[in-house]
Amino acid sequence: MTSTLPTTKMANAIRALAMDAVQKANSGHPGMPMGMAEIAVALWAKHYRHNPSNPHWFNRDRFVLSNGHGSMLQYALLHLTGYDLPMDELRNFRQMHSKTPGHPEVDVTPGIETTTGPLGQGLTNAVGMALAEKLLAAEFNRGELAIVDHHTYTFVGDGCLMEGISHEACSLAGTLRLSKLIALYDDNGISIDGHVEGWFKDDTPKRFEAYGWNVIRAVDGHNVEAVSAAIHQAKLSDKPTLICCKTVIGKGSPNLAGTDKVHGAALGDKEIAAVREALGWNYAPFEIPADVYAAWDAKPQGQQFEGDWNAMFAAYAAAHPQQASEFTRRMKGELPGNFEQTVSAYIATCVEKKETIATRKASQNAIQALAPVLPEFLGGSADLTGSNLTNWKESVAVRADQPGNHINYGVREFGMSAMMNGMALHGGYIPFGATFLTFSDYSRNALRMAALMKIRSIFVFTHDSIGLGEDGPTHQSVEHVSSLRLIPQLDNWRPCDTVESAVAWQQAVQRKHGPSTLIFSRQNLQYQERDAAQIANIQRGAYILKDAPDAKAILIATGSEVELAMQSAAALAQEGIAVRVVSMPCADVFDRQEGAYKASVLQHGLPRVAIEAGVTAFWHKYVGLEGAVVGIDTFGESAPAPVLFKHFGFTVENVVAKTKLVLA
């Protein structure tokens, strides 16, 4: 956009809206928006390609507010540039059901690309978005018909750079030379506890140069032209760029600027009046003059941006109809028409082969079967590809100078997971990445964010229990499956064999609006016989694997313990005690089934015994206080898996004894 209005007045509009909204809510962070106002003018008024009339136009630049506590900066920008975010929503900042929540939330506010707030994750999402852009461009662009061609911009603060995840993500971004990633660093020297030099004295420019970034140092963050020139320079680099902008937090506040007092609290009526006087902002709260609106209005230019791209895409579709159709399908997040047929044929193959293999291998086999019809698959592993088995025969490793579909994330579990979220949000890919289940702890907040955002990220976790054996308690997951089940909107699959593993992959891929974890064993697991109706019911999260017309009890099991449940049922039958065996690969999905189905599986009045190589507390929701759980409420030991299972009571004898106890 072009405007003759002084950029100072455009920036002061942001300051006024930020301080007024925080004051009305009596909650929020006015300092960052006031300090980054000129940086926002430089980017959004001079470089940012977007269309407020269509926030989902594909080839828009992506903007991520990693320091999401300063959300009023982004809300002010969205309102001023013409998004469907009326002033009443700014007045309702941080209030129930408003479109201006305390931190930016995707799918709540138009124009928000990702939910931010946990510091460092927005920056890492941006890395994932930039990688998705680079890979899609390599796959789909044809000569001058560059239908994928946009930048990813992110605002970051000291807090983002103190968080360890910033090291993981930015190191990989430099290695992969994500040249269309531009981060603008709000270097104001203040965090909530005060001046950061007491706890953060990193030489940030040198750190990023060591990662392989282009670094632009010591830019005056209150000089719009200087920041704009730095952005222009960044766009010419063949590396990701960090622009270090020196700013004053809360700029414009005569008494609080440059202090922690302006970081996370309303300024107060007296100080707000002083700000208005100091800035010469002679307007009432939430009042924006017409010349400011006119200067900020991005709708005409945005419609031109999209119109030009649409014309290019029409030419692309005429020249490359197959690629255009594929691109459109993938950006809509739709699966190919032959997906269901492919899955059904693969499941039939599993039934025919009846393989007794580790479910991590069953997972790889499923990936191998699905990948040919899912070019949007973008796999990876946190330095454990040979153990997690997330690659497939035709997979190509992603490198700086080599596009591909499998990412070696290095030992960066948290960074991997948050990057995957960025890829899922960008569109065009179904990302999955893997590590050992015990290291899901490193990824946990990114898993939570995926669930909060309801995005299709697939988290693969192998070596799921004491069954991994000799590596010992540091690597043996005990509490992890149950703890992941506590995260709302996250589906957690722990299959027992090849068929359940295939269905788990099918459900995770088909789940367009939510993440999944796929939890697999290191050790071989026995194939279980089923009929077609039982196979169809796997997708319901739990089903009757073995029944008896006169069942006296129900054994419920997941994963590797299903085999033990079946063996125990046979032993009980020899003693004249008939039991039903229920396999529950996904309790989260089962809990969403209608009451009649749940009652048909877990028949009322029958005592229940749950069997899972993990903590026991979770299972009492199914077995009740009167039921029994065969589990493990201590950490593991270092020993071969068969020794460990026997030591911790995962034996037919113990299950039989527990069953008799609940029948007594």
Side-chain angles (χ1 to χ4, degrees), residues 166-477:
S166 70
H167 165 75
E168 296 184 26
C170 295
S171 170
L172 188 54
T175 300
L176 296 178
R177 291 205 299 274
L178 303 182
S179 60
K180 289 187 178 177
L181 173 64
I182 299 175
L184 292 108
Y185 169 31
D186 180 27
D187 183 9
N188 60 39
I190 296 292
S191 66
I192 290 176
D193 277 358
H195 292 273
V196 301
E197 67 263 18
W199 49 88
F200 184 55
K201 295 190 71 172
D202 299 15
D203 189 330
T204 298
K206 284 186 179 179
R207 170 185 163 191
F208 275 76
E209 286 171 348
Y211 293 151
W213 285 53
N214 171 43
V215 177
I216 303 174
R217 299 167 178 252
V219 176
D220 180 357
H222 302 300
N223 184 324
V224 171
E225 293 306 320
V227 176
S228 177
I231 296 170
H232 177 75
Q233 181 182 342
K235 289 194 287 188
L236 300 176
S237 176
D238 63 351
K239 303 175 182 178
T241 297
L242 178 72
I243 302 174
C244 300
C245 302
K246 291 297 295 184
T247 63
V248 176
I249 191 170
K251 182 173 174 60
S253 174
N255 301 300
L256 300 178
T259 74
D260 58 285
K261 303 298 182 185
V262 76
H263 190 295
L267 301 184
D269 291 333
K270 183 177 179 181
E271 186 65 15
I272 285 178
V275 173
R276 279 186 155 78
E277 182 177 355
L279 298 180
W281 188 260
N282 301 313
Y283 307 99
F286 300 103
E287 180 184 347
I288 300 296
D291 60 344
V292 172
Y293 274 127
W296 270 113
D297 185 10
K299 286 186 288 186
Q301 188 176 50
Q303 290 164 357
Q304 181 178 343
F305 284 149
E306 183 171 359
D308 291 346
W309 184 85
N310 286 339
M312 180 198 297
F313 190 77
Y316 181 90
H320 310 285
Q322 183 176 349
Q323 289 88 345
S325 176
E326 175 69 6
F327 179 81
T328 300
R329 175 189 73 79
R330 283 170 58 175
M331 293 315 301
K332 289 181 177 179
E334 297 174 351
L335 297 178
N338 58 348
F339 176 76
E340 285 284 357
Q341 179 183 356
T342 301
V343 172
S344 296
Y346 175 65
I347 291 174
T349 299
C350 292
V351 172
E352 180 182 349
K353 289 186 175 180
K354 306 183 189 310
E355 292 179 296
T356 292
I357 56 176
T359 50
R360 62 171 174 158
K361 180 60 180 175
S363 167
Q364 186 179 45
N365 292 347
I367 294 169
Q368 184 66 56
L370 298 179
V373 300
L374 290 175
E376 58 264 54
F377 255 5
L378 184 54
S381 173
D383 203 49
L384 291 167
T385 301
S387 294
N388 300 147
L389 305 182
T390 49
N391 57 343
W392 59 102
K393 290 178 182 177
E394 299 82 13
S395 62
V396 177
V398 173
R399 297 291 184 264
D401 55 356
Q402 174 180 284
N405 49 17
H406 190 273
I407 303 168
N408 299 106
Y409 286 97
V411 188
R412 302 181 178 101
E413 296 90 352
F414 194 7
M416 171 184 71
S417 301
M419 282 180 63
M420 286 165 50
N421 290 345
M423 296 170 200
L425 288 160
H426 179 277
Y429 289 107
I430 298 176
F432 60 92
T435 185
F436 289 171
L437 177 58
T438 192
F439 303 137
S440 64
D441 287 336
Y442 287 137
S443 299
R444 188 176 182 87
N445 203 261
L447 270 68
R448 183 178 187 272
M449 295 304 292
L452 180 62
M453 293 187 282
K454 300 180 182 178
I455 55 177
R456 184 164 46 185
S457 295
I458 302 175
F459 304 97
V460 177
F461 297 121
T462 68
H463 297 60
D464 67 345
S465 72
I466 58 172
L468 70 86
E470 292 86 348
D471 275 339
T474 61
H475 284 53
Q476 291 167 5
S477 298

Side-chain angles (χ1 to χ4, degrees), residues 426-653:
H426 179 277
Y429 289 107
I430 298 176
F432 60 92
T435 185
F436 289 171
L437 177 58
T438 192
F439 303 137
S440 64
D441 287 336
Y442 287 137
S443 299
R444 188 176 182 87
N445 203 261
L447 270 68
R448 183 178 187 272
M449 295 304 292
L452 180 62
M453 293 187 282
K454 300 180 182 178
I455 55 177
R456 184 164 46 185
S457 295
I458 302 175
F459 304 97
V460 177
F461 297 121
T462 68
H463 297 60
D464 67 345
S465 72
I466 58 172
L468 70 86
E470 292 86 348
D471 275 339
T474 61
H475 284 53
Q476 291 167 5
S477 298
V478 175
E479 75 277 20
H480 297 81
V481 177
S482 285
S483 71
L484 291 172
R485 291 174 179 139
L486 295 175
I487 300 176
Q489 298 167 183
L490 177 66
D491 283 357
N492 302 279
W493 289 86
R494 187 172 184 246
C496 76
D497 68 356
T498 56
V499 171
E500 285 192 0
S501 297
V503 173
W505 266 107
Q506 174 192 24
Q507 295 304 303
V509 169
Q510 288 180 326
R511 192 180 188 222
K512 188 175 179 180
H513 300 294
S516 304
T517 72
L518 305 180
I519 300 170
F520 300 118
S521 72
R522 175 181 185 254
Q523 73 275 24
N524 289 345
L525 303 186
Q526 179 68 47
Y527 174 82
Q528 302 297 329
E529 294 286 352
R530 303 170 187 82
D531 60 27
Q534 289 172 309
I535 293 174
N537 282 334
I538 295 172
Q539 65 182 337
R540 306 188 76 165
Y543 63 102
I544 301 169
L545 179 60
K546 181 183 185 303
D547 207 2
D550 55 346
K552 299 296 188 293
I554 301 175
L555 305 183
I556 311 168
T558 78
S560 51
E561 287 67 67
V562 170
E563 181 178 340
L564 174 59
M566 293 292 283
Q567 294 169 348
S568 300
L572 286 162
Q574 290 182 350
E575 297 188 36
I577 303 172
V579 297
R580 169 182 293 180
V581 176
V582 170
S583 177
M584 189 178 286
C586 188
D588 312 277
V589 170
F590 179 69
D591 286 348
R592 295 198 296 268
Q593 302 304 304
E594 68 274 13
Y597 179 75
K598 290 190 284 189
S600 72
V601 174
L602 300 180
Q603 184 178 334
H604 181 70
L606 293 182
R608 302 166 186 176
V609 178
I611 313 165
E612 186 173 62
V615 293
T616 60
F618 168 82
W619 288 102
H620 288 286
K621 68 183 286 187
Y622 298 113
V623 304
L625 296 178
E626 68 282 0
V629 182
V630 177
I632 174 172
D633 287 317
T634 67
F635 292 111
E637 298 281 352
S638 294
V643 175
L644 290 171
F645 279 115
K646 182 176 181 180
H647 173 75
F648 286 109
F650 292 94
T651 64
V652 170
E653 294 78 13

